[in-house]
Amino acid sequence: MIKEECKALLDALSRVTACYRHMVLTIGGTSDSQNLREELKKTRQKAQELAVANRNKLTTVLKDKTVSKEDKAEFERLWVIFSTCLEILEIDMRRALELGHEFPLNVPKKHLIQTGMSGGTSGVAARAMSVQNMKYEAERNIDVVDLKDLENEINQVGEMMYEMEMKVNVPQWTVEAKQDPGAELKSTISVGASSIGMISVEENKSFCDISKVLAGIIFSAVLIIAIVLAVCVVKLS
């Protein structure tokens, strides 16, 4: 039960972190807007809430001495994935801070990057927040005011990562993966290769069938010619 809860929390954190990265990449572009800045704030705060919940669950389990060896190995694997998600979140928060300073919305002389991309990010934010429609309530100067909050939250995430290392020591190189690196990609390639192999076999088979038919026709023609010549020789003699 606890394992499933940890996996569900980790899955939610991964999804929200991915959505946050997608939105961070649009800062300063043609899709940038007041709504985007508010979406970024809500999404990163949601990610931090999930991170705290993940940390509390996994820390409690990994400190429990009664957990079996197999279960502990699985929780350590989840811990490594969680740590990676947290590192990615911190990197994207720092990127959002830098881009936020570079591209304030209410500065007329500061042109946005013409990336060629268009469209809003409300759908991505709604998926991250698990809501049907986003509600926007931020003030007009959120692009400036929120930068200070973002800087403080970056420090909080950094402190969380440091505390995690102090409380639970799980070196990443000691955790064994369930499958080899790139196993999913290899399986896809092998399936594709087998499909190509089947196609080539079928093509070879059909080619062989055509060759047999042609050989039969040629043999029959030669046989008929030989019979005609034999009849002619008999009549002439």
Side-chain angles (χ1 to χ4, degrees), residues 200-210:
S200 62
V201 168
E202 290 178 357
E203 289 179 349
N204 290 334
K205 186 177 180 181
S206 61
F207 179 76
C208 291
D209 292 339
I210 295 172

Side-chain angles (χ1 to χ4, degrees), residues 70-127:
E70 293 181 358
D71 287 341
K72 186 177 181 181
E74 177 64 16
F75 284 120
E76 287 180 347
R77 189 182 70 85
L78 296 177
W79 179 268
V80 170
I81 297 174
F82 167 56
S83 301
T84 304
C85 285
L86 209 55
E87 290 175 4
I88 293 172
L89 177 63
E90 185 192 26
I91 291 170
D92 290 335
M93 289 172 70
R94 292 185 182 279
R95 181 181 292 139
L97 182 63
E98 293 175 3
L99 292 173
H101 281 299
E102 288 293 328
F103 297 100
L105 293 176
N106 300 317
V107 178
K109 294 182 179 180
K110 195 70 175 181
H111 298 288
L112 300 179
I113 302 171
Q114 300 299 318
T115 60
M117 298 178 63
S118 61
T121 55
S122 58
V124 178
R127 286 196 297 272

Side-chain angles (χ1 to χ4, degrees), residues 158-197:
E159 291 175 1
M160 184 189 301
M161 294 171 63
Y162 177 76
E163 291 176 0
M164 286 166 50
E165 293 179 358
M166 295 297 102
K167 290 182 179 179
V168 179
N169 185 21
V170 182
Q172 295 189 5
W173 57 87
T174 63
V175 178
E176 295 183 2
K178 282 191 170 182
Q179 56 187 11
D180 296 332
E184 295 180 359
L185 181 61
K186 290 178 181 177
S187 63
T188 304
I189 293 174
S190 63
V191 170
S194 62
S195 301
I196 294 172

Side-chain angles (χ1 to χ4, degrees), residues 54-67:
N54 270 281
R55 180 199 61 186
N56 294 340
K57 284 279 186 184
L58 290 172
T59 301
T60 302
V61 173
L62 289 172
K63 284 186 173 182
D64 189 356
K65 302 297 183 181
T66 61
V67 178

Side-chain angles (χ1 to χ4, degrees), residues 16-86:
V16 175
T17 303
C19 291
Y20 183 71
R21 164 162 287 194
H22 177 83
M23 288 187 288
V24 168
L25 296 176
T26 61
I27 299 176
T30 53
S31 299
D32 200 354
S33 64
Q34 179 85 8
N35 290 345
L36 173 65
R37 302 303 175 96
E38 186 174 353
E39 291 165 1
L40 283 164
K41 180 178 181 178
K42 291 181 177 180
T43 304
R44 75 166 188 266
Q45 289 177 346
K46 178 70 173 180
Q48 291 174 78
E49 292 174 4
L50 290 169
V52 171
N54 270 281
R55 180 199 61 186
N56 294 340
K57 284 279 186 184
L58 290 172
T59 301
T60 302
V61 173
L62 289 172
K63 284 186 173 182
D64 189 356
K65 302 297 183 181
T66 61
V67 178
S68 65
K69 187 176 181 180
E70 293 181 358
D71 287 341
K72 186 177 181 181
E74 177 64 16
F75 284 120
E76 287 180 347
R77 189 182 70 85
L78 296 177
W79 179 268
V80 170
I81 297 174
F82 167 56
S83 301
T84 304
C85 285
L86 209 55

